Amino acid sequence: MSARTRSTTGAGRTTTAEPGIEVLARGTWPEAGDEVPAGPPRLAGFVVSSFSPLAAEAANRCLRAHHGEAPVPPERGDRTAVVVVSRLGDFTTDRAVGAAVVAGRPVQPLLFFQSVPNAVVGHVATAWGLRGPVVCFSPEGDQEEAALDYARLLFEDGEADEALLVLVESAVEEGVHGSATALLAAPRDGGVVVREGRP
């Protein structure tokens, strides 16, 4: 694994980046001013779980911070990958499907669709015009470092010029929402630049 650079940001927190990768923008949910008990904004076509709304809201905030309003310019969107990183995936949807099966109840058709963790990518990619590779994986270690590692591989292989990295976790407790962070990353020759620190 390649060496990383760590820099200290506000409140003594640190952020990491892979050599040769520039973090262009970052978006999170929740952030200051969000109504955390209410959860992220609802997302049409997704029910029961906040996993996909979390991912979509963080991604939208990140992309708006860099591009303004959707869609992105076609020459950039065609070469922007989307990488979804989650340790547990959509735990709430999985639990709802399991409970319905055990109880002998019909399972809502939408739950089958959204049980795939990257189902929300189609919503975000369509809205913003992102047509690069789509990847979803579950890391063993630090999510952000794993996502940046994967972005570096995409850049080195010529698969993408930019990557939207969406790190999302549902809360295990019922009635509690999780959190999500999205980063827009791009290759940078000759060093590490981190423009946005972790909040």
Side-chain angles (χ1 to χ4, degrees):
M1 183 174 295
S2 55
R4 297 181 180 85
T5 293
R6 290 183 177 268
S7 61
T8 302
T9 61
R13 298 177 185 271
T14 59
T15 186
T16 61
E18 284 293 322
I21 290 183
E22 181 176 8
V23 178
L24 303 175
R26 185 186 296 265
T28 63
W29 196 96
E31 60 185 22
D34 287 331
E35 295 291 336
V36 175
R42 292 181 180 275
L43 192 62
F46 294 87
V47 297
V48 177
S49 171
S50 62
F51 182 93
S52 292
L54 283 168
E57 185 63 15
N60 288 335
R61 290 178 177 185
C62 175
L63 292 169
R64 280 197 299 266
H66 187 70
H67 291 292
E69 296 303 314
V72 306
E75 64 273 14
R76 295 184 68 175
D78 289 348
R79 297 282 299 166
T80 299
V82 184
V83 180
V84 179
V85 182
S86 180
R87 293 190 186 90
L88 297 177
D90 192 344
F91 180 85
T92 304
T93 293
D94 291 345
R95 181 169 53 196
V97 171
V101 170
V102 169
R105 300 191 307 269
V107 178
Q108 296 183 55
L110 283 175
L111 294 182
F112 288 110
F113 164 72
Q114 70 183 45
S115 64
V116 180
N118 64 357
V120 68
V121 172
H123 175 88
V124 174
T126 299
W128 287 90
L130 310 181
R131 300 181 183 87
V134 173
V135 179
C136 181
F137 71 97
S138 177
E140 292 184 358
D142 183 273
Q143 284 183 310
E144 186 168 319
E145 291 184 358
L148 289 166
D149 273 333
Y150 204 99
R152 178 175 52 81
L153 294 177
L154 290 172
F155 301 151
E156 289 177 353
D157 290 344
E159 296 291 331
D161 294 333
E162 296 180 3
L164 177 65
L165 314 175
V166 185
L167 325 176
V168 55
E169 290 299 339
S170 295
V172 176
E173 301 85 356
E174 291 191 33
V176 179
H177 304 286
S179 61
T181 298
L183 301 85
L184 184 63
R188 179 181 178 89
D189 295 331
V192 177
V193 173
V194 180
R195 289 184 177 173
E196 298 289 339
R198 292 183 182 180

PDB file of all heavy atoms in Angstrom, residues 26-29 53-63 164 166-167 180-182:
ATOM      1  N   ARG A  26     -16.175  17.981  -0.664  1.00  0.00           N
ATOM      2  CA  ARG A  26     -16.669  17.022   0.316  1.00  0.00           C
ATOM      3  C   ARG A  26     -18.073  17.438   0.739  1.00  0.00           C
ATOM      4  O   ARG A  26     -18.371  18.624   0.869  1.00  0.00           O
ATOM      5  CB  ARG A  26     -15.746  16.989   1.534  1.00  0.00           C
ATOM      6  CG  ARG A  26     -16.085  15.949   2.589  1.00  0.00           C
ATOM      7  CD  ARG A  26     -15.176  16.113   3.812  1.00  0.00           C
ATOM      8  NE  ARG A  26     -13.781  15.870   3.480  1.00  0.00           N
ATOM      9  CZ  ARG A  26     -13.181  14.691   3.654  1.00  0.00           C
ATOM     10  NH1 ARG A  26     -13.852  13.672   4.153  1.00  0.00           N
ATOM     11  NH2 ARG A  26     -11.911  14.544   3.354  1.00  0.00           N
ATOM     12  N   GLY A  27     -18.943  16.462   0.941  1.00  0.00           N
ATOM     13  CA  GLY A  27     -20.279  16.719   1.453  1.00  0.00           C
ATOM     14  C   GLY A  27     -20.636  15.672   2.485  1.00  0.00           C
ATOM     15  O   GLY A  27     -20.233  14.511   2.357  1.00  0.00           O
ATOM     16  N   THR A  28     -21.368  16.063   3.524  1.00  0.00           N
ATOM     17  CA  THR A  28     -21.717  15.117   4.588  1.00  0.00           C
ATOM     18  C   THR A  28     -23.171  15.272   5.005  1.00  0.00           C
ATOM     19  O   THR A  28     -23.801  16.297   4.775  1.00  0.00           O
ATOM     20  CB  THR A  28     -20.838  15.336   5.839  1.00  0.00           C
ATOM     21  OG1 THR A  28     -21.093  16.654   6.366  1.00  0.00           O
ATOM     22  CG2 THR A  28     -19.363  15.209   5.514  1.00  0.00           C
ATOM     23  N   TRP A  29     -23.679  14.202   5.586  1.00  0.00           N
ATOM     24  CA  TRP A  29     -24.931  14.269   6.348  1.00  0.00           C
ATOM     25  C   TRP A  29     -24.750  13.375   7.567  1.00  0.00           C
ATOM     26  O   TRP A  29     -24.333  12.236   7.419  1.00  0.00           O
ATOM     27  CB  TRP A  29     -26.144  13.779   5.549  1.00  0.00           C
ATOM     28  CG  TRP A  29     -27.426  14.225   6.234  1.00  0.00           C
ATOM     29  CD1 TRP A  29     -28.164  15.322   5.939  1.00  0.00           C
ATOM     30  CD2 TRP A  29     -28.061  13.613   7.370  1.00  0.00           C
ATOM     31  NE1 TRP A  29     -29.220  15.442   6.816  1.00  0.00           N
ATOM     32  CE2 TRP A  29     -29.182  14.398   7.708  1.00  0.00           C
ATOM     33  CE3 TRP A  29     -27.793  12.480   8.147  1.00  0.00           C
ATOM     34  CZ2 TRP A  29     -30.017  14.079   8.769  1.00  0.00           C
ATOM     35  CZ3 TRP A  29     -28.622  12.167   9.208  1.00  0.00           C
ATOM     36  CH2 TRP A  29     -29.729  12.965   9.511  1.00  0.00           C
ATOM     37  N   PRO A  53     -31.211   7.533   1.042  1.00  0.00           N
ATOM     38  CA  PRO A  53     -31.297   8.990   1.217  1.00  0.00           C
ATOM     39  C   PRO A  53     -30.018   9.605   1.805  1.00  0.00           C
ATOM     40  O   PRO A  53     -29.628  10.705   1.413  1.00  0.00           O
ATOM     41  CB  PRO A  53     -32.485   9.152   2.164  1.00  0.00           C
ATOM     42  CG  PRO A  53     -33.357   7.976   1.873  1.00  0.00           C
ATOM     43  CD  PRO A  53     -32.395   6.858   1.621  1.00  0.00           C
ATOM     44  N   LEU A  54     -29.375   8.900   2.725  1.00  0.00           N
ATOM     45  CA  LEU A  54     -28.111   9.387   3.278  1.00  0.00           C
ATOM     46  C   LEU A  54     -27.066   9.526   2.178  1.00  0.00           C
ATOM     47  O   LEU A  54     -26.394  10.554   2.047  1.00  0.00           O
ATOM     48  CB  LEU A  54     -27.584   8.420   4.340  1.00  0.00           C
ATOM     49  CG  LEU A  54     -28.222   8.440   5.721  1.00  0.00           C
ATOM     50  CD1 LEU A  54     -27.786   7.224   6.524  1.00  0.00           C
ATOM     51  CD2 LEU A  54     -27.864   9.721   6.459  1.00  0.00           C
ATOM     52  N   ALA A  55     -26.914   8.474   1.382  1.00  0.00           N
ATOM     53  CA  ALA A  55     -25.919   8.474   0.311  1.00  0.00           C
ATOM     54  C   ALA A  55     -26.209   9.572  -0.697  1.00  0.00           C
ATOM     55  O   ALA A  55     -25.303  10.302  -1.128  1.00  0.00           O
ATOM     56  CB  ALA A  55     -25.889   7.112  -0.376  1.00  0.00           C
ATOM     57  N   ALA A  56     -27.472   9.707  -1.084  1.00  0.00           N
ATOM     58  CA  ALA A  56     -27.840  10.701  -2.088  1.00  0.00           C
ATOM     59  C   ALA A  56     -27.608  12.116  -1.591  1.00  0.00           C
ATOM     60  O   ALA A  56     -27.092  12.976  -2.331  1.00  0.00           O
ATOM     61  CB  ALA A  56     -29.302  10.509  -2.490  1.00  0.00           C
ATOM     62  N   GLU A  57     -27.968  12.393  -0.341  1.00  0.00           N
ATOM     63  CA  GLU A  57     -27.810  13.754   0.182  1.00  0.00           C
ATOM     64  C   GLU A  57     -26.338  14.135   0.301  1.00  0.00           C
ATOM     65  O   GLU A  57     -25.947  15.252  -0.062  1.00  0.00           O
ATOM     66  CB  GLU A  57     -28.492  13.878   1.539  1.00  0.00           C
ATOM     67  CG  GLU A  57     -28.486  15.281   2.119  1.00  0.00           C
ATOM     68  CD  GLU A  57     -29.245  16.302   1.275  1.00  0.00           C
ATOM     69  OE1 GLU A  57     -30.029  15.900   0.383  1.00  0.00           O
ATOM     70  OE2 GLU A  57     -29.053  17.513   1.521  1.00  0.00           O
ATOM     71  N   ALA A  58     -25.497  13.224   0.792  1.00  0.00           N
ATOM     72  CA  ALA A  58     -24.071  13.515   0.880  1.00  0.00           C
ATOM     73  C   ALA A  58     -23.482  13.731  -0.510  1.00  0.00           C
ATOM     74  O   ALA A  58     -22.688  14.653  -0.729  1.00  0.00           O
ATOM     75  CB  ALA A  58     -23.346  12.384   1.602  1.00  0.00           C
ATOM     76  N   ALA A  59     -23.870  12.885  -1.458  1.00  0.00           N
ATOM     77  CA  ALA A  59     -23.364  13.020  -2.829  1.00  0.00           C
ATOM     78  C   ALA A  59     -23.804  14.337  -3.447  1.00  0.00           C
ATOM     79  O   ALA A  59     -23.004  15.033  -4.090  1.00  0.00           O
ATOM     80  CB  ALA A  59     -23.850  11.840  -3.674  1.00  0.00           C
ATOM     81  N   ASN A  60     -25.065  14.691  -3.268  1.00  0.00           N
ATOM     82  CA  ASN A  60     -25.561  15.948  -3.828  1.00  0.00           C
ATOM     83  C   ASN A  60     -24.836  17.149  -3.235  1.00  0.00           C
ATOM     84  O   ASN A  60     -24.481  18.101  -3.951  1.00  0.00           O
ATOM     85  CB  ASN A  60     -27.068  16.073  -3.580  1.00  0.00           C
ATOM     86  CG  ASN A  60     -27.881  15.134  -4.439  1.00  0.00           C
ATOM     87  OD1 ASN A  60     -27.452  14.720  -5.521  1.00  0.00           O
ATOM     88  ND2 ASN A  60     -29.070  14.779  -3.967  1.00  0.00           N
ATOM     89  N   ARG A  61     -24.596  17.134  -1.937  1.00  0.00           N
ATOM     90  CA  ARG A  61     -23.897  18.252  -1.299  1.00  0.00           C
ATOM     91  C   ARG A  61     -22.470  18.366  -1.821  1.00  0.00           C
ATOM     92  O   ARG A  61     -21.964  19.472  -2.050  1.00  0.00           O
ATOM     93  CB  ARG A  61     -23.903  18.066   0.216  1.00  0.00           C
ATOM     94  CG  ARG A  61     -25.278  18.259   0.830  1.00  0.00           C
ATOM     95  CD  ARG A  61     -25.292  18.019   2.334  1.00  0.00           C
ATOM     96  NE  ARG A  61     -26.616  18.291   2.883  1.00  0.00           N
ATOM     97  CZ  ARG A  61     -26.907  18.258   4.186  1.00  0.00           C
ATOM     98  NH1 ARG A  61     -25.965  17.971   5.073  1.00  0.00           N
ATOM     99  NH2 ARG A  61     -28.134  18.526   4.599  1.00  0.00           N
ATOM    100  N   CYS A  62     -21.828  17.241  -1.988  1.00  0.00           N
ATOM    101  CA  CYS A  62     -20.458  17.233  -2.499  1.00  0.00           C
ATOM    102  C   CYS A  62     -20.409  17.780  -3.923  1.00  0.00           C
ATOM    103  O   CYS A  62     -19.595  18.659  -4.239  1.00  0.00           O
ATOM    104  CB  CYS A  62     -19.913  15.806  -2.446  1.00  0.00           C
ATOM    105  SG  CYS A  62     -18.274  15.601  -3.190  1.00  0.00           S
ATOM    106  N   LEU A  63     -21.281  17.281  -4.787  1.00  0.00           N
ATOM    107  CA  LEU A  63     -21.267  17.701  -6.186  1.00  0.00           C
ATOM    108  C   LEU A  63     -21.676  19.159  -6.350  1.00  0.00           C
ATOM    109  O   LEU A  63     -21.125  19.873  -7.184  1.00  0.00           O
ATOM    110  CB  LEU A  63     -22.175  16.779  -7.002  1.00  0.00           C
ATOM    111  CG  LEU A  63     -21.671  15.343  -7.134  1.00  0.00           C
ATOM    112  CD1 LEU A  63     -22.755  14.444  -7.713  1.00  0.00           C
ATOM    113  CD2 LEU A  63     -20.414  15.283  -8.000  1.00  0.00           C
ATOM    114  N   LEU A 164     -16.467  10.005  -7.617  1.00  0.00           N
ATOM    115  CA  LEU A 164     -17.321  10.387  -6.490  1.00  0.00           C
ATOM    116  C   LEU A 164     -17.320   9.221  -5.520  1.00  0.00           C
ATOM    117  O   LEU A 164     -17.792   8.135  -5.836  1.00  0.00           O
ATOM    118  CB  LEU A 164     -18.738  10.682  -6.972  1.00  0.00           C
ATOM    119  CG  LEU A 164     -19.760  11.014  -5.876  1.00  0.00           C
ATOM    120  CD1 LEU A 164     -19.404  12.318  -5.179  1.00  0.00           C
ATOM    121  CD2 LEU A 164     -21.166  11.067  -6.457  1.00  0.00           C
ATOM    122  N   VAL A 166     -18.574   7.687  -2.081  1.00  0.00           N
ATOM    123  CA  VAL A 166     -19.679   7.839  -1.137  1.00  0.00           C
ATOM    124  C   VAL A 166     -19.514   6.821  -0.017  1.00  0.00           C
ATOM    125  O   VAL A 166     -19.599   5.604  -0.241  1.00  0.00           O
ATOM    126  CB  VAL A 166     -21.047   7.648  -1.826  1.00  0.00           C
ATOM    127  CG1 VAL A 166     -22.170   7.939  -0.844  1.00  0.00           C
ATOM    128  CG2 VAL A 166     -21.159   8.553  -3.054  1.00  0.00           C
ATOM    129  N   LEU A 167     -19.269   7.306   1.191  1.00  0.00           N
ATOM    130  CA  LEU A 167     -19.057   6.462   2.365  1.00  0.00           C
ATOM    131  C   LEU A 167     -20.313   6.560   3.213  1.00  0.00           C
ATOM    132  O   LEU A 167     -20.638   7.631   3.716  1.00  0.00           O
ATOM    133  CB  LEU A 167     -17.841   6.939   3.159  1.00  0.00           C
ATOM    134  CG  LEU A 167     -16.662   7.498   2.356  1.00  0.00           C
ATOM    135  CD1 LEU A 167     -15.585   8.027   3.281  1.00  0.00           C
ATOM    136  CD2 LEU A 167     -16.101   6.458   1.412  1.00  0.00           C
ATOM    137  N   ALA A 180     -23.302   9.806   6.363  1.00  0.00           N
ATOM    138  CA  ALA A 180     -22.670   9.594   5.064  1.00  0.00           C
ATOM    139  C   ALA A 180     -21.743  10.756   4.748  1.00  0.00           C
ATOM    140  O   ALA A 180     -21.984  11.898   5.147  1.00  0.00           O
ATOM    141  CB  ALA A 180     -23.712   9.449   3.962  1.00  0.00           C
ATOM    142  N   THR A 181     -20.674  10.443   4.042  1.00  0.00           N
ATOM    143  CA  THR A 181     -19.726  11.433   3.551  1.00  0.00           C
ATOM    144  C   THR A 181     -19.429  11.129   2.095  1.00  0.00           C
ATOM    145  O   THR A 181     -19.244   9.971   1.733  1.00  0.00           O
ATOM    146  CB  THR A 181     -18.410  11.399   4.353  1.00  0.00           C
ATOM    147  OG1 THR A 181     -18.674  11.716   5.721  1.00  0.00           O
ATOM    148  CG2 THR A 181     -17.392  12.385   3.795  1.00  0.00           C
ATOM    149  N   ALA A 182     -19.388  12.148   1.276  1.00  0.00           N
ATOM    150  CA  ALA A 182     -19.027  11.972  -0.131  1.00  0.00           C
ATOM    151  C   ALA A 182     -17.845  12.871  -0.454  1.00  0.00           C
ATOM    152  O   ALA A 182     -17.777  14.016   0.004  1.00  0.00           O
ATOM    153  CB  ALA A 182     -20.211  12.309  -1.035  1.00  0.00           C
TER     154      ALA A 182
END
